[in-house]
């Protein structure tokens, strides 16, 4: 007796490896975002400028919103992000990088060279009165690194 074949369901998984071509620094600071941006501008001779807030859609209707400052030249790019959402949220982890929720701000530096990279930059950031603590992270270890790739 002939029977029709059972329905076959195929699932495909897309594995994407995101390239993290920037250095990532965490900053502990009680300063407002514009005050910290100004302090960074003065200390590092930059011109960080406020950008439209970064919107991060979450499951359901909720969105998280993060302040975002940018300094970009032909070679160097710096982005300063507030790590905690600007809007109140019922979401359990309202952070841009939930892996580093103890840090108030994140600084992403692309092509920093010797002066704006590694331990040299950590020392310069920690010397600011607006910064209580600064450290460098490996962005490839972030669980939610796609939040920082623009």
């Amino acid at each position: 007796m002939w029977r029709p074949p059972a329905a076959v369901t195929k699932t495909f998984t897309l594995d994407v490896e995101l390239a993290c071509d920037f250095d990532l620094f965490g900053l502990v600071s009680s300063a407002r975002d514009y005050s910290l941006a100004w302090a960074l501008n003065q200390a590092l001779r930059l011109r960080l400028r406020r950008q439209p807030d970064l919107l991060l859609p979450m499951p359901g209707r909720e969105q998280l919103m993060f302040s975002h400052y940018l300094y970009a030249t032909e070679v160097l790019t710096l982005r300063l992000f507030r790590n905690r959402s600007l809007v109140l949220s019922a979401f359990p982890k309202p952070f841009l990088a939930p892996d580093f929720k103890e840090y108030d701000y994140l600084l992403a530096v692309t092509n920093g060279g010797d002066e704006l990279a590694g331990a040299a930059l950590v020392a310069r950031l920690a010397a600011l009165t607006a910064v209580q603590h600064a450290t460098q992270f490996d962005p490839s270890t972030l669980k939610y690194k796609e939040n920082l790739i623009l």
Side-chain angles (χ1 to χ4, degrees):
M1 171 179 249
W2 181 82
R3 292 185 186 166
V8 176
T9 309
K10 291 185 178 182
T11 57
F12 296 99
T13 304
L14 178 63
D15 290 327
V16 177
E17 186 63 35
L18 298 173
C20 297
D21 60 344
F22 56 90
D23 294 325
L24 183 64
F25 300 88
L27 307 174
V28 175
S29 175
S30 59
R32 304 286 295 216
D33 54 5
Y34 56 85
S35 296
L36 181 59
W38 183 84
L40 289 170
N41 284 342
Q42 299 301 310
L44 304 177
R45 296 186 191 107
L46 303 173
R47 293 193 71 187
L48 283 166
R49 298 203 182 238
R50 178 107 187 207
Q51 302 298 303
D53 291 334
L54 178 66
L55 298 175
L56 188 63
M58 301 308 288
R61 294 186 185 183
E62 193 169 356
Q63 285 188 353
L64 300 179
M65 186 173 17
F66 304 94
S67 62
H68 171 218
Y69 290 79
L70 172 68
Y71 172 76
T73 65
E74 294 175 1
V75 181
L76 173 69
T77 303
L78 272 95
R79 295 180 185 278
L80 176 67
F81 299 100
R82 181 179 165 149
N83 194 24
R84 181 179 280 278
S85 178
L86 295 170
V87 294
L88 293 175
S89 170
F91 198 70
K93 295 181 181 179
F95 298 98
L96 185 60
D99 310 33
F100 305 125
K101 61 186 173 189
E102 58 276 358
Y103 291 91
D104 301 305
Y105 296 94
L106 300 171
L107 183 66
V109 181
T110 305
N111 297 329
D114 295 334
E115 190 175 305
L116 294 176
L121 182 56
V122 170
R124 291 178 74 181
L125 293 171
L128 297 173
T129 57
V131 176
Q132 284 80 42
H133 179 72
T135 192
Q136 184 176 8
F137 302 108
D138 180 6
S140 63
T141 62
L142 283 173
K143 184 175 180 182
Y144 298 99
K145 61 184 147 216
E146 65 273 2
N147 293 353
L148 296 173
I149 298 176
L150 298 177

